[in-house]
Each structure stands twice: as structure tokens, then as C-alpha cells.
Amino acid sequence: MSNNIVPLTELISQFERLPGIGKKTAQRLAYSILEQPPERAEKFAEALINARKKIHFCKKCQSLTDLEICSICDDPKRDSSVICVVAEPRDVLAFERTREYTGTYHVLHGVISPLDGVGPDQLRLKELMARLSDGQVTEIIMATNPTVEGEATASYISRLVKPMGIKVTRLAYGIPVGADLEYADEFTLARALEGRNEI
Amino acid sequence: MSNNIVPLTELISQFERLPGIGKKTAQRLAYSILEQPPERAEKFAEALINARKKIHFCKKCQSLTDLEICSICDDPKRDSSVICVVAEPRDVLAFERTREYTGTYHVLHGVISPLDGVGPDQLRLKELMARLSDGQVTEIIMATNPTVEGEATASYISRLVKPMGIKVTRLAYGIPVGADLEYADEFTLARALEGRNEI
């Protein structure tokens, strides 16, 4: 059952196109906009336009930024000899949250996935190779997701980079901190056993 | 940990202000906007502005509409002698989904809630009373939520309307269709017993 108010239907369908937002939630969100002062909708609209217009990819690491070179690449305190290679811009934020990583990043904007028609040429690989050409980089940390595509991408890049004499590492597999062993899947547990460390 | 891209932070905070959207979801939604073509953000912004600008309250039932009189009030096939009184515009949609109700609506835009400083004067009650004055309405269905405030509002309006010789009814309480008795709370079960019907 739809309302038959065209502008409302359109707003609901815009919310519905967002990832993880279903029909019911989209309706709830659209109504919430209508219940608030018009300035609220205007601010929201402005933020959407602004973000999309002002944010682009960092010339160096291909992460998101509103500057030419992002604040991480531009920070002299970051160790530019280490590059953490991730699939998506949001992965950068995940690593930054750890407050442990002091190297730089490179965002591929995807992973190799033949089924979806994504080959190495669709990724920001050329830009990564360009960064490696001056011999300053000593380590590449492959931080793509632990999925088939993420693994394939990691090993593809590893084969490209290793001959250049650059160390290539991969994130450790294992049990998540705070997790219950009972609920760990067998593949994760097997990897955790494999990678066990002396204490 | 925040990214330090101002337009991105602003977009995330706009998403975060929506009901039921937490920090993580807001981030995911904001990034999804950046990953899509700029036209997508523009369409979204336009839908927000449009909806807020074109949609207002129906002069008659106070529900949302982009016309002067909403399509339900304006429909000669709807029975205007019955008014279903609801708290919020979204409740109208819930009843329309049943495809069972053929009467009209009246939206109060809130319920009486002394703790939140909402008294009868803040509701669209004057507008309801005006609709009752011509003697055409024979029944008012009080369809506010089964909460303390919803009940108080229902009985307040009932006391106002009954002396006018108009029938006032309340939605039936009982077990939800398809629910498991085991999980029904005692108040609902008690009401379901009370309201039992012969079969």
C-alpha cells in the first residue's frame, strides 16, 4: 500500500536505495523528515550535495579527501615506507580507529572479482605501482577482506610487488578479541591454530 | 576516531540525526553516497527539499498531502461519517495497508503527555471538533497507541465527543495475529480473555 503523495513516495524511495535500509525503515525516515522543521531537510540536502562535490580521491593514496593530498599522506609523522592496501575508503577509518597504525594507506576501490567483471585494470593499481617506483617503500600490508576475492586480490598484488624486493605481509587470521570460541567457525579456528604464538 | 574531512563528518552527522540510525550505520550510509555518482546525491537532496516544501497538512484531516484536501478526504467513495482518530500521519498508512477501512481519518499530531508538556491545546483537536459540528459524523474510532498517553488521549476525546451523541469506539485489544501465546505479555492476554468472542 502506498500513500499517493508523490513527493513523499520519492523521498521514501531515495531512502530505500541506501544500503541496508528496507521499505519500513525508509518510510520511518521519510516521515521523520516531514515532522521536523524545513531547515533540517535543507541542511541535510546541503550536506549531501557538499560532500559529493567537495570530496574526491587523494592524488596519492586514492582515499577520500577534500584536499589535493589527504591529511594522512600529508602528515610528516606518518611512516611513508609502509603502505596498508585496503579495498574501500571506509577501511581506512577502521584502521585509524585502532590508533596503532602509523604508516600510510592505498585504497584500491574494489577487489578483483571476475564474476562482477572487475579485473586488475579497474582497481587503483597503477597508482600503487607508481608509489613503489621510487624505492622508498619497504613494506606493503595487504589488508583486503578475508573473502575469496580479497584473497585473490592480495595474492595478485603480492606477485606483482615481491619481485621489486618489497616485503608483502597479510593481516593475521584468528579468533576475534572478545569472541566466544563456541561460535567461531571451523575455518577461523583452524587458522588460529595454524598461526598460534608462544606465550 | 573521526576522519578529518569536514564535508564527510557533516554528512555522517546528518544521517546520525535520523531516528534509529547509530554512528556506524550513519558512516556506512555516508560512504555509500560518496561511492555513487553525483547525480544520486543531487536526486536525494532534491527529494528532501521537495518533500518538505510540497507536503503539508490536509485542511480537513490534518494528514500529510501535497494538495489542499488529501486524496482520502476528497474520495467520494470513503465514508465520511466515520472518523478514525490517530496520533501521527504514519498511522494513516498503517490503516490504509489493511485495505479494510473505508472511513476517513483525523491526525492529532501527538498525544496528551503532561510529562512532555503536551496538553490538549497542542493537538489538532479544534480541527476535529469543527468536523463534528455539522452532525454528519456518526462514529469516532479512537486509534491512538495502547500506551498510557494514548489511552489518556482516547478517553479525553471520548469525554468531549460522547455528549454530542456521537458513538466513540476504541481498537480491540488482544493477541496479535500469528503471534505465539507463550510470548504474549500478561496484560495483553488478560485483555484478550476479557474481549473473547463466541465462535
Side-chain angles (χ1 to χ4, degrees):
Chain A
M1 178 66 213
S2 81
N3 62 81
N4 32 44
I5 310 168
V6 179
L8 178 57
T9 308
E10 174 56 20
L11 183 58
I12 293 173
S13 91
Q14 288 293 337
F15 273 116
E16 228 180 316
R17 270 177 228 176
L18 294 170
I21 303 290
K23 201 169 183 62
K24 278 240 166 163
T25 307
Q27 270 178 14
R28 189 165 45 84
L29 297 180
Y31 276 102
S32 84
I33 293 290
L34 296 178
E35 283 160 13
Q36 284 172 345
E39 299 81 64
R40 177 77 185 77
E42 281 158 25
K43 277 261 169 76
F44 197 163
E46 199 184 289
L48 280 164
I49 300 269
N50 248 340
R52 200 59 193 80
K53 201 161 61 188
K54 292 192 185 157
I55 299 175
H56 44 251
F57 301 147
C58 167
K59 281 223 166 139
K60 217 163 159 186
C61 76
Q62 311 298 317
S63 177
L64 300 174
T65 181
D66 54 347
L67 311 165
E68 190 172 2
I69 298 290
C70 79
S71 58
I72 294 175
C73 285
D74 208 35
D75 184 349
K77 289 199 291 286
R78 307 287 300 223
D79 179 1
S80 60
S81 73
V82 181
I83 299 178
C84 177
V85 178
V86 297
E88 300 295 344
R90 69 189 87 175
D91 299 330
V92 171
L93 207 59
F95 279 99
E96 286 300 285
R97 271 196 296 265
T98 68
R99 296 171 184 271
E100 294 273 333
Y101 182 67
T102 55
T104 57
Y105 297 93
H106 192 84
V107 182
L108 296 172
H109 292 277
V111 282
I112 297 171
S113 172
L115 282 177
D116 302 315
V118 182
D121 292 348
Q122 271 89 60
L123 306 182
R124 304 278 170 139
L125 257 180
K126 243 190 356 254
E127 291 84 351
L128 175 62
M129 300 316 279
R131 290 175 70 186
L132 303 181
S133 62
D134 65 356
Q136 300 292 308
V137 176
T138 57
E139 182 181 356
I140 293 280
I141 304 171
M142 287 305 313
T144 47
N145 276 325
T147 56
V148 176
E149 291 83 5
E151 291 297 343
T153 308
S155 57
Y156 180 88
I157 294 178
S158 159
R159 276 197 304 273
L160 279 183
V161 172
K162 265 188 181 163
M164 302 167 78
I166 297 169
K167 186 162 89 177
V168 182
T169 57
R170 180 88 176 104
L171 290 182
Y173 282 105
I175 44 170
V177 177
D180 195 323
L181 281 186
E182 199 184 339
Y183 299 113
D185 67 285
E186 60 269 36
F187 304 107
T188 302
L189 268 188
R191 294 291 197 118
L193 266 175
E194 231 177 86
R196 67 190 180 279
N197 300 302
E198 211 169 321
I199 51 171
Chain B
M1 178 65 212
S2 81
N3 63 81
N4 32 45
I5 310 167
V6 178
L8 179 56
T9 308
E10 174 57 19
L11 183 58
I12 292 173
S13 91
Q14 287 293 338
F15 273 116
E16 228 180 315
R17 269 176 228 176
L18 295 170
I21 302 290
K23 200 169 181 63
K24 278 241 166 162
T25 307
Q27 270 177 15
R28 189 165 46 83
L29 298 180
Y31 275 102
S32 84
I33 293 290
L34 297 178
E35 284 160 12
Q36 283 174 345
E39 299 80 65
R40 176 77 184 77
E42 280 157 26
K43 277 262 170 72
F44 197 162
E46 200 183 290
L48 281 165
I49 301 268
N50 248 340
R52 201 60 193 80
K53 202 161 59 187
K54 292 192 186 157
I55 299 174
H56 43 252
F57 301 147
C58 168
K59 282 222 168 139
K60 215 163 159 185
C61 74
Q62 311 298 317
S63 178
L64 300 175
T65 181
D66 54 345
L67 311 165
E68 191 172 2
I69 298 290
C70 79
S71 58
I72 294 175
C73 284
D74 208 34
D75 184 347
K77 288 198 292 288
R78 307 287 300 222
D79 178 2
S80 60
S81 72
V82 181
I83 299 180
C84 177
V85 178
V86 297
E88 301 294 344
R90 69 189 85 174
D91 299 329
V92 170
L93 207 59
F95 279 99
E96 286 300 284
R97 270 196 295 265
T98 68
R99 295 171 185 273
E100 294 274 333
Y101 182 67
T102 55
T104 58
Y105 297 94
H106 192 85
V107 181
L108 296 173
H109 292 277
V111 282
I112 297 172
S113 172
L115 282 177
D116 302 316
V118 182
D121 292 348
Q122 272 89 60
L123 306 181
R124 303 280 170 137
L125 257 179
K126 241 189 356 251
E127 291 84 351
L128 175 62
M129 299 317 278
R131 291 176 69 185
L132 303 182
S133 62
D134 65 355
Q136 300 292 309
V137 176
T138 57
E139 181 181 358
I140 294 280
I141 304 170
M142 287 306 311
T144 48
N145 276 324
T147 57
V148 176
E149 292 84 5
E151 291 298 342
T153 308
S155 57
Y156 180 89
I157 295 178
S158 158
R159 276 196 304 273
L160 280 182
V161 172
K162 265 187 182 163
M164 301 167 78
I166 296 168
K167 186 161 92 176
V168 182
T169 57
R170 180 88 176 105
L171 289 181
Y173 282 106
I175 43 169
V177 177
D180 195 324
L181 280 186
E182 200 185 338
Y183 300 114
D185 66 284
E186 60 268 40
F187 304 106
T188 301
L189 267 189
R191 295 290 197 119
L193 266 174
E194 231 177 87
R196 67 190 180 278
N197 300 303
E198 213 169 320
I199 51 173

